[in-house]
Amino acid sequence: MKSIPILSDPNASSVWLPSVYRRSGVESLSSTPAESRSATPSLYQTYHGYHTSQSHQSLAALVSTPPSPTLSREWVQPGSIARLHNRDDADIWKGWRRWIFRLVPFLTFTNTALYLTYLGLRIACVILAQKAQGITFPGAWIFIAIEIIVAIPSQMHNFWTMWALKKRTRPKLRLIGNEVPTVDVFVTSCGEDDEVVLDTVRAVCEQDYPRDRFRVILLDDGKSERLELAIGNLAMVYPNVFYMARTKIPGVPHHFKSGNLNYGLDQVHNLPGGAGQFMAALDADMIPEQEWLRAVLPHLLADPKMALACPPQLFYNTPPSDPLAQSLDFFVHVIEPIKDALGVAWCTGSGYIVRREALDEIGNFPLGSLAEDVATSTLMLGKGWKTAYVHEPLQFGTVPEDYGGHLKQRTRWAIGTVDTAFKMNFCLWGDSVRQMTTAQRFSGFLYATLSLYTILLTASLFAIPIILVWGKPLVAFANYEQLRWLIRACFAATISNRLCEFALFIPAGYHTGQRGSRYQLWMSPYIALCIVRAFLLPKWLGGQAQAFKPTGSLHSALNERDLKTRKNMFRRLWAVLFNYMAVFHLSFVYLTLVAVVLTSYRCFFWESTANGIIMCLLTHAFWPPLTFLFICSSLWTPVSYAIDPPAMPDREDLLKRDPKTGVAHPTRESKKIAFGGQAIWFELEYTVATAFTALVFVYSFIF
C-alpha cells in the first residue's frame, strides 16, 4: 500500500497528486480535475467490498413518518432526519431548573428597575445634602461613579438577558442512513503535543458517519515530521485521512489559523472527488463525540440559508473550583443559547460545520484577525445567512494548563473581538453588516464594547483606596429619613440581584456564574493593557497588536498543576506577581484593606456614641453590600492561585482509551468541574455580604 499523499510542491500553489490506496486488491477511482472548484456530491466512490462506518439505522423507527414542516425542505428526504427531542439541550438541564429560568426576564427587569431607582435616590440625596449643608461631597460623587462603572457590565448583560423572553426552540436532531452530504473535516494544529493532536484525529476518523462521505485533513502549521509519519500510518487503516502543511515564508504574513484554514479550503479541490459540500473544523485538542457530524449537520440541511452550526466548547481538564474561570460554561450554557434564539449565534472556533457556498460568498475565512471565528460568523450574518448554536455536548478539549497560557488565550480573544468590531464599524453601519437584524447589530456592538470597557473599569479601581483614605463620606444625605430609604433601596436592589443571579446562572451552575463575575474584575487590567497597546499606543510608545506577553524572562514552565514538577511557592509568586504583572492586584488589595482599617479607626476616634460609630462606618467604608470586599476577593485571584494552585492528574488519566483502536474519549468524571474549597470560601463571602445587607436593612427601622 502506498503511503499517504504528500504535497509535491511545498508552496501554496502546489497540488495534491492522486494517490492509489489498495485494500484487498481494490483501488480508489481517479480524482476530480484541479480546475473544478464546485463542491461535488461525493468525496470518493465507495470501495468495492469495503464496509463504511456504522450508521444510525437504529434510529430509523423514529422517522417512520415524514419530518415536521420545519424540517421539510426540497432536498431533505423524508426519513433522513430524526427529531429526538423538541429541545437540543434536553439532556443538559431539565426539571425545576427550567421553570426557574423562565423567570429570568422578569427578575432581570425587576433588578434593573430597582437598581436604577436606588441609583436615582443616591444621586438625589447627594444633591439635597449639598443644598442643606452648603458643601459638596466629592467622595460621594466618586463612589457613585465607581458603583455605576462596576455595575455597567452586569446591567448590559441584564438588558441582553431580558431578551430571553424569546423562547429558543431548536430541536435535537440526528442524520440517518448513508445518503449523507460530503464533509471535509479540518483539524488545525500548530506545535501542540503530537499525542494530543492524534487523539483528535483518531476520534474524527471513528465518527459514526459513512467513511466514503467525509475526509479528515490535518492542517499542521507546526510542520511536524512525526505527525506526518503518524498520519501516514493512520492512512493505512483510515484511507480518508490526509496530512497537509503549508510553507510559511519568513517576513510574509501567514495569517495564523485563518490562513491555515484557507490553505486547506484551497487544497481540498485537488483531492480525489474535489471539495466536499460542507467543511468542518476542530481545534487540535478538541475530541469530538462519535455522533458529532450526525448531530450538527441536520441543522444545516433543514434550512438552505443556514450557513454555520456550532456546538459548545467543553473541557475535560478543568481543575476543581475552576479558580481562573477557564471553563466557558456561562457563555456556552447561558449567553450563547440566548444569542441563538435571537439569530446571533457565534462561531466559537471549534466543532463547527459550515456550508461551502456561504464561505465562498464571504471570500473564505477573513485574514488579519485574531478572532477569525467571530469575524466569519459576523460576515455571514451581514450577508443574510443564518447561524445556529447546537446546545449538545459534542466536543471536549483542554484548557491552558498554566497561568500564562490562560492570559494569552483570553487577551487574544479580546483583541480579536475588538479588532473585528473596528473593521465592521461595531456592526452599526456599512456594507458588511447591511443585512443584519437589530438584535445581530446590538450583539456585535455589546460584546466588543464590553472588552473596551475594561479600560474604564481598570481606571476606576484606582479610585477606591484613594477615596477611602481620603476620609470623605461615601454616602451623603440630608437627614436620617433619607438614609433609611437609601438603605432600604440598597437592600431591595441587592436581594433582587442575588435572586436574578441564581436564576440566570442555573443552566451553567450557580458557582460557574459567580466565577465569571469575579473573572471580569481580575482579568480587566490584563485585557485593558493589551487593548491600549494594540489600538491606542503607537509602536514607539510600546504599541503592539498581540496578546499578553510576560515581562522579563521565564526560564522554565511553572508546571503549577503538577504536584511532582511544580516550582516552589516563592518562584510561583515571583512569576505571577512580576512576570505576569499581578503586583497590581496585590497592591490594590493591600491598599484597599489598609484604607478600610484606617477609615474605621477614624470613625471610632471621631464618634463617641454607638449609633454615631455605626453611621460613620456605614457611610465611610461599609456601605452594603460591601462592594470593596467583593472587588478585593476578585483581584486576589492571581495571588491565591500562585500560592495554592489546583493539582490535576496527567491527561491520560482523564481519558478512557480503546486498547484496540487507540481512540480516546474523556471519562464521565473529567467532563464535570469538581467542587472545591475555593468555591465554598467565595460562597461564604457572598453569604456574609448578603447577611450584612439584611442586618443593615433591619437596623434602618431602629435608628
Side-chain angles (χ1 to χ4, degrees):
M1 173 177 178
K2 291 189 177 181
S3 61
I4 187 169
I6 58 174
L7 285 171
S8 59
D9 183 350
N11 297 321
S13 60
S14 60
V15 298
W16 285 72
L17 296 177
S19 179
V20 179
Y21 289 93
R22 301 185 184 276
R23 291 180 66 90
S24 303
V26 181
E27 61 184 37
S28 64
L29 301 182
S30 61
S31 63
T32 298
E35 297 80 30
S36 173
R37 288 322 211 204
S38 61
T40 56
S42 176
L43 296 179
Y44 320 103
Q45 295 189 19
T46 308
Y47 295 99
H48 298 287
Y50 177 75
H51 297 287
T52 61
S53 61
Q54 64 173 347
S55 63
H56 284 246
Q57 297 298 335
S58 59
L59 301 178
L62 297 175
V63 287
S64 56
T65 59
S68 66
T70 59
L71 297 181
S72 296
R73 293 296 184 267
E74 189 173 316
W75 67 291
V76 178
Q77 300 300 318
S80 63
I81 295 179
R83 189 185 184 106
L84 303 188
H85 199 281
N86 290 333
R87 297 189 64 101
D88 56 357
D89 55 4
D91 297 330
I92 297 179
W93 63 295
K94 49 192 169 183
W96 61 270
R97 293 177 176 83
R98 287 198 181 278
W99 290 102
I100 291 181
F101 189 72
R102 290 181 181 180
L103 301 175
V104 165
F106 308 101
L107 290 172
T108 302
F109 179 81
T110 303
N111 175 237
T112 303
L114 288 173
Y115 175 77
L116 293 177
T117 300
Y118 162 69
L119 184 62
L121 189 59
R122 282 281 305 279
I123 295 173
C125 285
V126 175
I127 295 174
L128 293 173
Q130 290 183 158
K131 288 182 178 180
Q133 301 181 34
I135 59 175
T136 59
F137 292 91
W141 286 116
I142 295 174
F143 187 54
I144 289 175
I146 292 174
E147 281 192 316
I148 293 174
I149 290 171
V150 172
I152 281 177
S154 62
Q155 294 304 317
M156 292 180 76
H157 275 297
N158 280 355
F159 183 74
W160 178 252
T161 53
M162 276 191 284
W163 287 19
L165 276 169
K166 181 177 175 61
K167 292 184 178 180
R168 181 174 178 273
T169 56
R170 193 168 301 285
K172 183 176 183 178
L173 306 176
R174 287 295 183 271
L175 195 59
I176 306 301
N178 292 328
E179 295 300 320
V180 293
T182 56
V183 186
D184 291 319
V185 181
F186 293 151
V187 178
T188 56
S189 69
C190 186
E192 293 85 356
D193 291 343
D194 290 354
E195 197 55 41
V196 171
V197 179
L198 289 173
D199 278 343
T200 300
V201 174
R202 292 190 197 103
V204 183
C205 289
E206 283 293 321
Q207 280 293 294
D208 188 4
Y209 203 81
R211 198 165 294 168
D212 63 322
R213 308 297 288 176
F214 79 107
R215 278 187 297 239
V216 185
I217 302 156
L218 176 61
L219 298 175
D220 182 20
D221 251 3
K223 238 179 179 182
S224 166
E225 293 183 1
R226 290 181 58 189
L227 272 180
E228 183 176 3
L229 178 61
I231 296 300
N233 292 332
L234 273 179
M236 298 179 184
V237 180
Y238 307 101
N240 58 335
V241 65
F242 298 84
Y243 176 92
M244 293 185 183
R246 58 179 176 154
T247 296
K248 294 186 286 188
I249 303 173
V252 177
H254 56 275
H255 301 294
F256 306 103
K257 186 178 177 180
S258 56
N260 195 16
L261 287 168
N262 284 342
Y263 174 78
L265 286 172
D266 182 66
Q267 293 301 311
V268 292
H269 288 289
N270 301 312
L271 287 177
Q277 294 166 304
F278 293 89
M279 187 221 88
L282 286 162
D283 284 347
D285 63 332
M286 276 288 173
I287 298 176
E289 298 291 273
Q290 197 172 23
E291 67 271 23
W292 165 55
L293 289 176
R294 289 192 181 271
V296 177
L297 265 171
H299 298 274
L300 292 159
L301 302 182
D303 188 345
K305 290 299 292 180
M306 189 66 69
L308 180 147
C310 187
Q313 284 198 39
L314 303 173
F315 306 97
Y316 63 89
N317 71 329
T318 309
S321 291
D322 191 15
L324 300 182
Q326 291 180 278
S327 78
L328 300 174
D329 283 1
F330 181 71
F331 178 78
V332 302
H333 294 312
V334 179
I335 299 298
E336 194 70 345
I338 294 175
K339 287 160 62 71
D340 184 42
L342 298 168
V344 203
W346 271 357
C347 173
T348 54
S350 179
Y352 60 89
I353 302 178
V354 61
R355 194 183 297 271
R356 288 298 299 257
E357 298 97 306
L359 275 175
D360 291 341
E361 186 170 350
I362 66 170
N364 290 343
F365 292 93
L367 304 176
S369 173
L370 292 177
E372 83 293 329
D373 45 9
V374 175
T376 298
S377 50
T378 304
L379 286 172
M380 288 177 172
L381 293 174
K383 292 292 186 181
W385 290 95
K386 299 178 184 178
T387 56
Y389 179 68
V390 183
H391 196 186
E392 292 189 56
L394 297 171
Q395 59 174 344
F396 290 87
T398 57
V399 299
E401 296 181 344
D402 63 286
Y403 186 75
H406 175 67
L407 296 184
K408 183 177 180 181
Q409 179 194 66
R410 296 305 172 90
T411 53
R412 184 180 71 248
W413 290 354
I415 292 173
T417 300
V418 174
D419 181 57
T420 300
F422 273 120
K423 292 177 179 178
M424 302 188 70
N425 303 317
F426 286 84
C427 296
L428 298 178
W429 74 89
D431 291 338
S432 59
V433 299
R434 189 175 301 279
Q435 299 186 53
M436 277 190 175
T437 64
T438 301
Q440 291 167 350
R441 292 172 188 265
F442 178 71
S443 174
F445 174 80
L446 172 64
Y447 287 96
T449 303
L450 285 176
S451 294
L452 287 173
Y453 173 78
T454 57
I455 300 174
L456 181 60
L457 178 59
T458 302
S460 72
L461 294 177
F462 285 100
I464 294 176
I466 294 175
I467 63 171
L468 288 174
V469 171
W470 195 4
K472 301 294 182 180
L474 304 180
V475 180
F477 52 92
N479 52 61
Y480 276 158
E481 188 62 24
Q482 289 182 10
L483 180 60
R484 289 189 183 96
W485 283 107
L486 274 177
I487 291 174
R488 293 164 190 174
C490 179
F491 171 78
T494 300
I495 297 303
S496 68
N497 184 60
R498 296 292 187 267
L499 293 174
C500 185
E501 286 179 340
F502 177 77
L504 179 62
F505 297 163
I506 273 181
Y510 174 72
H511 294 289
T512 298
Q514 296 294 1
R515 284 193 295 269
S517 299
R518 294 191 294 271
Y519 165 85
Q520 289 179 356
L521 284 171
W522 73 261
M523 193 67 192
S524 287
Y526 292 113
I527 295 177
L529 175 64
C530 290
I531 288 178
V532 168
R533 284 179 174 176
F535 301 103
L536 300 180
L537 287 182
K539 289 185 177 180
W540 59 275
L541 280 179
Q544 50 184 359
Q546 60 183 22
F548 180 84
K549 289 177 60 179
T551 60
S553 175
L554 286 177
H555 298 292
S556 61
L558 298 177
N559 295 326
E560 62 261 32
R561 298 184 187 178
D562 190 328
L563 285 172
K564 299 178 181 178
T565 62
R566 66 169 50 160
K567 300 296 182 182
N568 59 58
M569 187 176 70
F570 176 80
R571 182 70 185 90
R572 298 195 304 267
L573 271 172
W574 182 271
V576 171
L577 292 179
F578 297 102
N579 296 109
Y580 294 121
M581 302 172 64
V583 67
F584 166 82
H585 301 70
L586 177 64
S587 301
F588 172 86
V589 173
Y590 175 77
L591 292 175
T592 301
L593 294 181
V594 168
V596 169
V597 173
L598 179 61
T599 302
S600 301
Y601 171 78
R602 287 172 177 167
C603 287
F604 284 97
F605 180 77
W606 289 337
E607 303 293 336
S608 57
T609 65
N611 188 67
I613 292 174
I614 293 175
M615 291 297 103
C616 180
L617 289 173
L618 280 177
T619 58
H620 284 75
F622 292 91
W623 185 253
L626 301 178
T627 303
F628 81 89
L629 183 62
F630 177 73
I631 295 176
C632 283
S633 65
S634 300
L635 289 181
W636 187 252
T637 298
V639 183
S640 63
Y641 178 85
I643 295 173
D644 185 26
M648 286 296 292
D650 292 337
R651 191 182 73 92
E652 189 64 27
D653 296 333
L654 302 173
L655 300 171
K656 183 178 181 181
R657 190 177 298 278
D658 187 318
K660 295 181 179 179
T661 64
V663 176
H665 287 279
T667 63
R668 178 176 299 181
E669 295 75 17
S670 68
K671 295 177 180 179
K672 301 178 181 179
I673 302 175
F675 187 79
Q678 192 178 80
I680 298 175
W681 165 253
F682 282 120
E683 186 54 38
L684 176 63
E685 170 205 312
Y686 234 49
T687 302
V688 168
T690 305
F692 174 79
T693 304
L695 287 175
V696 173
F697 171 72
V698 173
Y699 187 69
S700 71
F701 293 93
I702 300 174
F703 69 82

